[in-house]
Amino acid sequence: MAKIQLNGKKISLKNRTSIKQLLLKYKLLKKRVAIELNGKIIPSTKYKIYLKDKDIIEIVHFIGGG
């Protein structure tokens, strides 16, 4: 089990959970999001990266408005 920090909260994930799987879990996959993993912005082409113990991930999703 991997223990990570997600948007400031500590959570536990199954081993070999990818960023894409994390987005699916929180129903964010089809929304416009920005992902920061350990201080680096991750492009959507790299969402297959597996998360590991002590990773710090920030997810921001964009909302339109006016």
Side-chain angles (χ1 to χ4, degrees):
M1 193 159 262
K3 294 181 181 179
I4 68 164
Q5 184 173 318
L6 173 62
N7 290 355
K9 295 181 183 179
K10 294 183 187 230
I11 65 167
S12 295
L13 299 173
K14 294 180 183 176
N15 284 335
R16 298 191 51 86
T17 298
S18 68
I19 293 172
K20 183 177 180 178
Q21 291 168 324
L22 186 66
L23 292 174
L24 281 169
K25 179 179 177 175
Y26 289 100
K27 298 180 173 101
L28 294 171
L29 190 62
K30 294 185 179 183
K31 296 185 180 186
R32 293 182 172 267
V33 295
I35 306 290
E36 181 182 285
L37 176 62
N38 299 323
K40 295 181 181 179
I41 300 296
I42 305 297
S44 60
T45 57
K46 304 275 184 172
Y47 285 179
K48 293 179 182 177
I49 293 173
Y50 291 112
L51 298 168
K52 59 187 181 313
D53 207 35
K54 299 183 182 176
D55 275 345
I56 299 172
I57 188 165
E58 295 289 328
I59 301 174
V60 178
H61 66 90
F62 301 97
I63 300 172

